[in-house]
PDB file of all heavy atoms in Angstrom:
ATOM      1  N   ASP H 115      -6.965  -3.450  10.217  1.00 89.00           N
ATOM      2  CA  ASP H 115      -7.605  -2.535   9.269  1.00 89.00           C
ATOM      3  C   ASP H 115      -9.107  -2.415   9.475  1.00 89.00           C
ATOM      4  O   ASP H 115      -9.675  -1.329   9.293  1.00 89.00           O
ATOM      5  CB  ASP H 115      -7.326  -2.991   7.824  1.00 89.00           C
ATOM      6  CG  ASP H 115      -5.847  -2.866   7.457  1.00 89.00           C
ATOM      7  OD1 ASP H 115      -5.174  -2.005   8.066  1.00 89.00           O
ATOM      8  OD2 ASP H 115      -5.386  -3.625   6.581  1.00 89.00           O
ATOM      9  N   PHE H 116      -9.772  -3.547   9.810  1.00 87.00           N
ATOM     10  CA  PHE H 116     -11.234  -3.467   9.960  1.00 87.00           C
ATOM     11  C   PHE H 116     -11.697  -3.667  11.408  1.00 87.00           C
ATOM     12  O   PHE H 116     -12.864  -3.919  11.665  1.00 87.00           O
ATOM     13  CB  PHE H 116     -11.949  -4.449   9.035  1.00 87.00           C
ATOM     14  CG  PHE H 116     -11.548  -5.896   9.183  1.00 87.00           C
ATOM     15  CD1 PHE H 116     -12.000  -6.654  10.258  1.00 87.00           C
ATOM     16  CD2 PHE H 116     -10.763  -6.516   8.237  1.00 87.00           C
ATOM     17  CE1 PHE H 116     -11.662  -7.980  10.398  1.00 87.00           C
ATOM     18  CE2 PHE H 116     -10.416  -7.859   8.354  1.00 87.00           C
ATOM     19  CZ  PHE H 116     -10.860  -8.584   9.442  1.00 87.00           C
ATOM     20  N   ALA H 117     -10.775  -3.492  12.359  1.00 91.00           N
ATOM     21  CA  ALA H 117     -11.125  -3.675  13.769  1.00 91.00           C
ATOM     22  C   ALA H 117     -12.263  -2.770  14.233  1.00 91.00           C
ATOM     23  O   ALA H 117     -13.161  -3.223  14.949  1.00 91.00           O
ATOM     24  CB  ALA H 117      -9.897  -3.484  14.656  1.00 91.00           C
ATOM     25  N   PRO H 118     -12.273  -1.475  13.859  1.00 90.00           N
ATOM     26  CA  PRO H 118     -13.385  -0.619  14.315  1.00 90.00           C
ATOM     27  C   PRO H 118     -14.747  -1.139  13.847  1.00 90.00           C
ATOM     28  O   PRO H 118     -15.715  -1.163  14.614  1.00 90.00           O
ATOM     29  CB  PRO H 118     -13.057   0.745  13.697  1.00 90.00           C
ATOM     30  CG  PRO H 118     -11.593   0.719  13.509  1.00 90.00           C
ATOM     31  CD  PRO H 118     -11.271  -0.693  13.116  1.00 90.00           C
ATOM     32  N   GLN H 119     -14.809  -1.567  12.580  1.00 88.00           N
ATOM     33  CA  GLN H 119     -16.067  -2.096  12.053  1.00 88.00           C
ATOM     34  C   GLN H 119     -16.418  -3.443  12.694  1.00 88.00           C
ATOM     35  O   GLN H 119     -17.582  -3.717  12.981  1.00 88.00           O
ATOM     36  CB  GLN H 119     -15.970  -2.263  10.524  1.00 88.00           C
ATOM     37  CG  GLN H 119     -15.831  -0.958   9.765  1.00 88.00           C
ATOM     38  CD  GLN H 119     -14.399  -0.453   9.689  1.00 88.00           C
ATOM     39  OE1 GLN H 119     -13.486  -1.079  10.204  1.00 88.00           O
ATOM     40  NE2 GLN H 119     -14.211   0.687   9.043  1.00 88.00           N
ATOM     41  N   TYR H 120     -15.400  -4.254  12.928  1.00 89.00           N
ATOM     42  CA  TYR H 120     -15.605  -5.555  13.574  1.00 89.00           C
ATOM     43  C   TYR H 120     -16.178  -5.341  14.973  1.00 89.00           C
ATOM     44  O   TYR H 120     -17.100  -6.032  15.405  1.00 89.00           O
ATOM     45  CB  TYR H 120     -14.265  -6.290  13.659  1.00 89.00           C
ATOM     46  CG  TYR H 120     -14.353  -7.790  13.853  1.00 89.00           C
ATOM     47  CD1 TYR H 120     -14.080  -8.663  12.807  1.00 89.00           C
ATOM     48  CD2 TYR H 120     -14.683  -8.345  15.088  1.00 89.00           C
ATOM     49  CE1 TYR H 120     -14.121 -10.038  12.987  1.00 89.00           C
ATOM     50  CE2 TYR H 120     -14.737  -9.711  15.276  1.00 89.00           C
ATOM     51  CZ  TYR H 120     -14.454 -10.551  14.216  1.00 89.00           C
ATOM     52  OH  TYR H 120     -14.518 -11.906  14.406  1.00 89.00           O
ATOM     53  N   ARG H 121     -15.642  -4.351  15.683  1.00 91.00           N
ATOM     54  CA  ARG H 121     -16.134  -4.056  17.030  1.00 91.00           C
ATOM     55  C   ARG H 121     -17.586  -3.591  16.988  1.00 91.00           C
ATOM     56  O   ARG H 121     -18.390  -3.956  17.870  1.00 91.00           O
ATOM     57  CB  ARG H 121     -15.260  -2.987  17.702  1.00 91.00           C
ATOM     58  CG  ARG H 121     -15.704  -2.641  19.125  1.00 91.00           C
ATOM     59  CD  ARG H 121     -14.908  -1.478  19.667  1.00 91.00           C
ATOM     60  NE  ARG H 121     -13.566  -1.879  20.025  1.00 91.00           N
ATOM     61  CZ  ARG H 121     -13.231  -2.390  21.208  1.00 91.00           C
ATOM     62  NH1 ARG H 121     -14.168  -2.558  22.127  1.00 91.00           N
ATOM     63  NH2 ARG H 121     -12.005  -2.717  21.474  1.00 91.00           N
ATOM     64  N   LEU H 122     -17.940  -2.797  15.982  1.00 89.00           N
ATOM     65  CA  LEU H 122     -19.323  -2.343  15.841  1.00 89.00           C
ATOM     66  C   LEU H 122     -20.267  -3.521  15.650  1.00 89.00           C
ATOM     67  O   LEU H 122     -21.372  -3.555  16.189  1.00 89.00           O
ATOM     68  CB  LEU H 122     -19.453  -1.360  14.670  1.00 89.00           C
ATOM     69  CG  LEU H 122     -18.806   0.017  14.862  1.00 89.00           C
ATOM     70  CD1 LEU H 122     -18.858   0.809  13.570  1.00 89.00           C
ATOM     71  CD2 LEU H 122     -19.497   0.772  15.986  1.00 89.00           C
ATOM     72  N   LEU H 123     -19.828  -4.507  14.837  1.00 89.00           N
ATOM     73  CA  LEU H 123     -20.646  -5.703  14.639  1.00 89.00           C
ATOM     74  C   LEU H 123     -20.821  -6.456  15.953  1.00 89.00           C
ATOM     75  O   LEU H 123     -21.913  -6.948  16.264  1.00 89.00           O
ATOM     76  CB  LEU H 123     -19.998  -6.614  13.586  1.00 89.00           C
ATOM     77  CG  LEU H 123     -19.996  -6.106  12.142  1.00 89.00           C
ATOM     78  CD1 LEU H 123     -19.135  -7.020  11.272  1.00 89.00           C
ATOM     79  CD2 LEU H 123     -21.417  -6.060  11.588  1.00 89.00           C
ATOM     80  N   LEU H 124     -19.740  -6.545  16.726  1.00 90.00           N
ATOM     81  CA  LEU H 124     -19.813  -7.236  18.019  1.00 90.00           C
ATOM     82  C   LEU H 124     -20.754  -6.499  18.964  1.00 90.00           C
ATOM     83  O   LEU H 124     -21.579  -7.121  19.640  1.00 90.00           O
ATOM     84  CB  LEU H 124     -18.415  -7.327  18.639  1.00 90.00           C
ATOM     85  CG  LEU H 124     -17.396  -8.208  17.909  1.00 90.00           C
ATOM     86  CD1 LEU H 124     -16.028  -8.070  18.567  1.00 90.00           C
ATOM     87  CD2 LEU H 124     -17.834  -9.665  17.899  1.00 90.00           C
ATOM     88  N   ASP H 125     -20.649  -5.177  18.986  1.00 88.00           N
ATOM     89  CA  ASP H 125     -21.498  -4.372  19.867  1.00 88.00           C
ATOM     90  C   ASP H 125     -22.967  -4.472  19.472  1.00 88.00           C
ATOM     91  O   ASP H 125     -23.861  -4.282  20.321  1.00 88.00           O
ATOM     92  CB  ASP H 125     -21.053  -2.908  19.851  1.00 88.00           C
ATOM     93  CG  ASP H 125     -19.702  -2.699  20.535  1.00 88.00           C
ATOM     94  OD1 ASP H 125     -19.279  -3.608  21.268  1.00 88.00           O
ATOM     95  OD2 ASP H 125     -19.085  -1.642  20.311  1.00 88.00           O
ATOM     96  N   ALA H 126     -23.216  -4.745  18.193  1.00 87.00           N
ATOM     97  CA  ALA H 126     -24.599  -4.893  17.714  1.00 87.00           C
ATOM     98  C   ALA H 126     -25.128  -6.307  17.944  1.00 87.00           C
ATOM     99  O   ALA H 126     -26.240  -6.632  17.533  1.00 87.00           O
ATOM    100  CB  ALA H 126     -24.682  -4.548  16.232  1.00 87.00           C
ATOM    101  N   GLY H 127     -24.317  -7.140  18.619  1.00 88.00           N
ATOM    102  CA  GLY H 127     -24.758  -8.504  18.917  1.00 88.00           C
ATOM    103  C   GLY H 127     -24.517  -9.505  17.815  1.00 88.00           C
ATOM    104  O   GLY H 127     -25.129 -10.578  17.789  1.00 88.00           O
TER     105      GLY H 127
END
Side-chain angles (χ1 to χ4, degrees):
D115 293 333
F116 56 76
Q119 294 84 0
Y120 200 106
R121 181 187 286 274
L122 290 173
L123 291 171
L124 294 174
D125 290 344

